[in-house]
Structure formats: C-alpha cells, structure tokens
Amino acid sequence: MDCTLERYRVQEVPIDSIDPSPENDDLYGAIEHDEQIDILIESIRERGLEEPIVITRDNFILSGHRRYYACKRLGWTHIPVSRRQVRRLANPEFHRELATFNTHRIKGVGSLLRESLLRQNTGEDLYRAIVEHRDAATKVDAEFLTVDGDKDIEPVGAGRQEFLKAAQAVIEDLRDYWPLSVRQVHYRLLNNPPMTLTPKGGKFTRDHYLYKNDKKSYNKLVRLLTSARYHGQVSMTAIDDPTRPVVVPNGWSTVAKYLEDEMSIFLAGYHRDKQNGQARHIEVFAEKSTLYRIVERACEPYYVPFSIGRGFCSIPVWRDMAKRFRESGREAMSLIVVSDYDPEGLALADDAIRSLKLFGVDADYHRVAVTREQIDDLDLANDCNPAKESSTQYAAFVKRTGGADTWECEALPPDYLCEQIKNAIESNMDMDVYEQVCDEERADCDELARIKRTLASDLRF
C-alpha cells in the first residue's frame, strides 16, 4: 500500500493488544468516570465508534484514550484502530507527539498549559524567532562631532519661590496621574493663582504678577519646571511630553536573570474580558494625547477600548472602531467622547459619529466633557480663552453655544474627569453581569495558583 495512504487504513485489533500511554495522564490527567464518560458510553452503545482509535507502531494510544476506556466498559473484545509511524518507547519527543494528536479535544486549563509548554520550539527555532522579533541594529558610518560649551540651567531664584511651591503642590496633588503634561499643571494653578515673581519693589501691583490663563504665564511655567527638574526640586518622572514617544530596547545579561524575571510574572497576566456578556459595545474617544492617563485609568477596570486622537482623525481610527464593534457580536454601540469646549472640540465629536456611520455603525453618542454644565458647576468661567476667529468652525461654535469662550479638558480636575468617564461607561453596562465576571476571574486565579504550585513541584532540570 502507498505509504501516504497507510495512515488512513483502519484495522480491527484485539482491545487487549493496545495500551493507554502513561504520558496522557501527565498531559490531561487520569480519566475519571464522570457524567461526560457516561454520555460517551451511551453514544458508542447506540451509534458505535464513529472514529477509530489512533495508535503507535508499538501499540500505544495516541488519540482516543476516553473512547478506549468507554469501549472497555462496554465489554468490547476488538476495536478499530488507525496506526501511525510513531513509536512511544525510546522516544524523547513522545509528549510532544501526544499533544499534537489531541489538539481537537476539550481540555482544562492545566492541560492546555502543559500542552503549550510541550509545543515550545527547539532551541534553534527559538533563537531564530528571537532574532526575527527584535529590530536589526542599523550601522551608520559617520564622523564624530565636537561640541563645545555647556548647557547652563539657572536655578529657581528667590523671587520665584512662591511660584515654585505652588507648582510643586499641584504636581504632588496629581501624583496618581504622573507623568503629567505642563498644561495640566497650568490649569490647576489657575484655581489659586500664585505670583510668578515676588518683586522687591516697583511700580506694578500684585495683580500684575499673578499667574494668568495666557501664553506669557504658560511660558513662565515651562521655564520654571525645566529649571526645577534639572535642579532636583521636581521629580524628572513627574512631567512628560506624550507627543514625543521614546523606544528603549531591552535585554538580559544571563538566562538566569531572564528566567527570574519571567517566573516573577508567570501566569500573572490572566484577566477575564470584563465586557463579556454585555449587551452593548462601548468605546471611548478622547481628543488629545494629554488625556491618555486619565482615560486609561477610567477604561481599564471595565476593559473598554479607547482611542486617542490629535484633532480630527483619519479613516483607520473609525474603520478599526467599526470592526471591533462588528467582531463583538453586539447589536448596539455607545461612543463616549471627551473633547475641549471649543470650535474644534465640538466639531470633531460630531465628526466621530458621522464617520462611524460611513462604516455602517449608528452609535449612541455621549459627550462627557467639557460641557457647559461642568463649567458652571466647577466655577471655571474666569479660566476661559476666546476662540480663534480664524477657525473654520468659529461661526458654527458661536451659534451653537451663544459665545466665543472656550475651555480645554485640562481645566477639569483629573479625578473629576475620570469619574465622569466611569459614570458614562457604567450607565451603558449591566453591572450585575460585570460583577459576575469579576467573581469568575477570582475563581480562575485560584485555579491558576494551583497549577503554578503543581508545575513548581514537578519541574526537573
């Protein structure tokens, strides 16, 4: 017979001539006579064995241990088998072979983990994957340049100490949202404006030196925080510029160090999808990158996806959002928008809904910030800036709001804005279903902890 067809040949052999593979218990646990086994026995009794048992050349079972058990319980003396050109005895790769032949079966968490570990690549394959995964170093032939002189950062002088203390207080108050943008510090200072300079005398009144919502004050704050960070008066990690991402390649000095780091997080990354079982698909869209930390903090507990724009977004943002909605299988979608109270902020929020419609998604729309009610409730009336008349959206904005005053999202306290987003998310969720998923996750973690202990006790090198 053609060797390519040999694997499909079915023959009937005495049932006592084949044996279960002991390695099957290692992978999937010993077979227990439970309700599922009873169902299998009854099925075989009524319809027979619809698929033959797969065995090795030396008569050990590769696939069909539960069916073999059921047939033995039924008193069968012969059983149909299909033989593979694989041996169990003296085969160091037999665990891997067994896992390969059982990809179709329904398995518990522990079985899946053991099977996955057994399918790991060889050392050569793993090394090739590592090389392909990391970016190849780029060699550039260039001459070294000589740079003369030093960068001189003046310390914060005595006249700016009130200004510095006010900025330090704001930064510490917002520690949970580090790294901050300078603009976030700027708006917090407007709540109780400090003097940007304490003069020894002069012709100007105190009001002249108070921090204001203008470009001049903002630039003073930039210079103050630059000096304070270089001289250790403000943490270097407290302020960031999210518009300038940095990529730092990482590596390990030894295999031992790598294993230590990996084992410290082994099985620690498991999470249930907190949106599982929900009737609506929820997304959050925020106008600019300075809102990233706040939006992330609000969305993370609920596993709600969010997108950060930089003004009006291009097609891929709405295409991917519509795709996530369709893949969720849910019938309705809610879009929660966070944008400035200005011509562009209101217009791009409307544009989000219109863009989704182009992809066939008619989403319910919740714009949670910045609103006129929030401006009034937080007494932000004096922290406004006039809208730019050059904006193409200026006339529509004035008609819509009745004025030209604008407020940015950073004018809202971070905790307050975070809470507004969370409230909007929860209002679109079934919180009883959410709590049930959280309870199931805690139960899953107990199972993973048990598996981790079992693996630790069984590891041999």
Side-chain angles (χ1 to χ4, degrees):
M1 180 180 290
D2 187 341
C3 63
T4 60
L5 299 178
E6 176 66 22
R7 62 182 298 174
Y8 299 107
R9 188 166 70 91
V10 177
Q11 61 185 120
E12 194 172 68
V13 301
I15 197 167
D16 291 336
S17 69
I18 63 176
D19 293 297
S21 298
E23 293 82 358
N24 191 73
D25 289 353
D26 296 340
L27 273 172
Y28 307 114
I31 295 175
E32 298 180 0
H33 194 115
D34 53 18
E35 181 181 354
Q36 295 300 316
I37 284 289
D38 285 333
I39 294 173
L40 178 60
I41 290 174
E42 189 60 31
S43 174
I44 294 175
R45 188 197 314 275
E46 292 180 359
R47 296 192 293 271
L49 196 62
E50 296 183 349
E51 292 186 15
I53 306 298
V54 181
I55 64 173
T56 65
R57 290 172 56 193
D58 45 358
N59 295 324
F60 286 93
I61 298 174
L62 270 173
S63 177
H65 285 81
R66 289 165 59 83
R67 284 172 284 149
Y68 168 84
Y69 176 88
C71 292
K72 291 276 284 186
R73 296 286 296 189
L74 287 168
W76 286 22
T77 59
H78 287 72
I79 192 168
V81 301
S82 174
R83 198 178 299 275
R84 297 292 185 270
Q85 297 303 307
V86 174
R87 300 187 66 88
R88 171 183 171 263
L89 300 176
N91 183 355
E93 296 294 313
F94 189 71
H95 272 95
R96 192 193 307 274
E97 297 280 3
L98 195 63
T100 301
F101 275 95
N102 287 275
T103 55
H104 60 281
R105 68 181 290 173
I106 299 174
K107 306 152 185 142
V109 176
S111 298
L112 288 169
L113 177 60
R114 288 189 290 271
E115 190 175 278
S116 176
L117 289 172
L118 288 167
R119 285 183 185 150
Q120 294 297 319
N121 295 328
T122 64
E124 181 180 349
D125 290 338
L126 181 59
Y127 180 73
R128 186 183 303 113
I130 290 172
V131 171
E132 291 175 354
H133 180 71
R134 67 190 179 208
D135 292 333
T138 302
K139 296 181 179 180
V140 178
D141 295 327
E143 297 180 0
F144 289 105
L145 302 178
T146 301
V147 179
D148 296 324
D150 298 313
K151 185 173 183 177
D152 185 23
I153 305 296
E154 294 184 1
V156 179
R160 294 196 292 168
Q161 288 302 308
E162 178 184 336
F163 191 16
L164 174 61
K165 289 179 181 178
Q168 288 172 324
V170 167
I171 291 169
E172 184 60 32
D173 187 53
L174 298 178
R175 176 179 282 272
D176 288 345
Y177 296 94
W178 285 15
L180 308 170
S181 66
V182 176
R183 191 165 294 278
Q184 286 174 298
V185 181
H186 164 76
Y187 276 104
R188 295 281 71 73
L189 289 175
L190 296 176
N191 293 336
N192 186 21
M195 292 180 66
T196 58
L197 181 66
T198 305
K200 296 179 180 179
K203 60 180 180 179
F204 298 111
T205 64
R206 174 181 172 81
D207 288 346
H208 175 79
Y209 297 99
L210 286 179
Y211 193 83
K212 299 176 179 64
N213 190 10
D214 57 27
K215 187 174 182 179
K216 184 177 180 180
S217 289
Y218 182 83
N219 288 337
K220 289 180 180 178
L221 178 61
V222 171
R223 291 193 294 272
L224 175 81
L225 294 179
T226 298
S227 178
R229 279 178 284 172
Y230 273 112
H231 289 279
Q233 294 157 307
V234 169
S235 171
M236 282 289 186
T237 61
I239 308 293
D240 196 11
D241 183 351
T243 65
R244 294 175 172 84
V246 176
V247 177
V248 180
N250 191 19
W252 288 266
S253 55
T254 64
V255 169
K257 179 59 178 171
Y258 170 71
L259 287 175
E260 179 184 346
D261 291 346
E262 287 295 296
M263 289 302 101
S264 68
I265 60 173
F266 180 56
L267 298 185
Y270 173 76
H271 299 278
R272 282 259 182 159
D273 179 3
K274 303 303 192 302
Q275 287 298 307
N276 189 37
Q278 294 295 328
R280 305 183 69 83
H281 178 73
I282 307 170
E283 297 252 356
V284 173
F285 173 73
E287 179 181 355
K288 47 193 174 181
S289 56
T290 55
L291 301 172
Y292 183 93
R293 298 287 180 184
I294 298 172
V295 176
E296 179 187 44
R297 189 183 182 95
C299 292
E300 190 275 334
Y302 310 101
Y303 274 48
V304 168
F306 64 92
S307 305
I308 303 294
R310 297 184 65 180
F312 289 85
C313 290
S314 57
I315 290 174
V317 173
W318 313 119
R319 176 202 63 200
D320 294 345
M321 195 178 290
K323 181 181 178 183
R324 287 192 293 271
F325 167 57
R326 286 192 292 270
E327 291 177 346
S328 74
R330 300 183 176 99
E331 295 182 359
M333 173 176 168
S334 294
L335 180 64
I336 297 168
V337 178
V338 183
S339 64
D340 292 338
Y341 188 91
D342 64 12
E344 284 70 29
L346 298 190
L348 70 85
D350 296 341
D351 181 71
I353 296 299
R354 293 165 183 157
S355 297
L356 285 173
K357 286 183 179 179
L358 292 176
F359 291 93
V361 179
D362 191 6
D364 293 319
Y365 170 40
H366 308 267
R367 186 172 171 280
V368 299
V370 177
T371 67
R372 184 71 240 187
E373 291 77 12
Q374 293 166 346
I375 294 166
D376 295 336
D377 290 344
L378 297 174
D379 195 22
L380 302 176
N382 295 326
D383 296 340
C384 65
N385 277 314
K388 297 178 181 178
E389 295 186 28
S390 59
S391 169
T392 57
Q393 308 294 333
Y394 178 84
F397 175 75
V398 172
K399 182 178 179 181
R400 183 174 183 174
T401 65
D405 292 340
T406 68
W407 288 264
E408 295 186 81
C409 292
E410 290 86 351
L412 305 180
D415 284 338
Y416 175 88
L417 180 53
C418 184
E419 197 65 24
Q420 296 294 305
I421 300 171
K422 283 185 175 182
N423 290 341
I425 291 173
E426 291 189 4
S427 69
N428 284 274
M429 289 177 61
D430 184 328
M431 295 307 294
D432 289 336
V433 172
Y434 170 76
E435 292 297 338
Q436 180 181 345
V437 173
C438 291
D439 290 340
E440 291 169 350
E441 181 181 81
R442 284 187 283 270
D444 291 343
C445 288
D446 291 337
E447 169 71 359
L448 289 172
R450 184 191 64 76
I451 292 170
K452 196 169 184 177
R453 290 192 299 270
T454 301
L455 287 173
S457 64
D458 289 346
L459 279 177
R460 299 290 185 272
F461 294 100

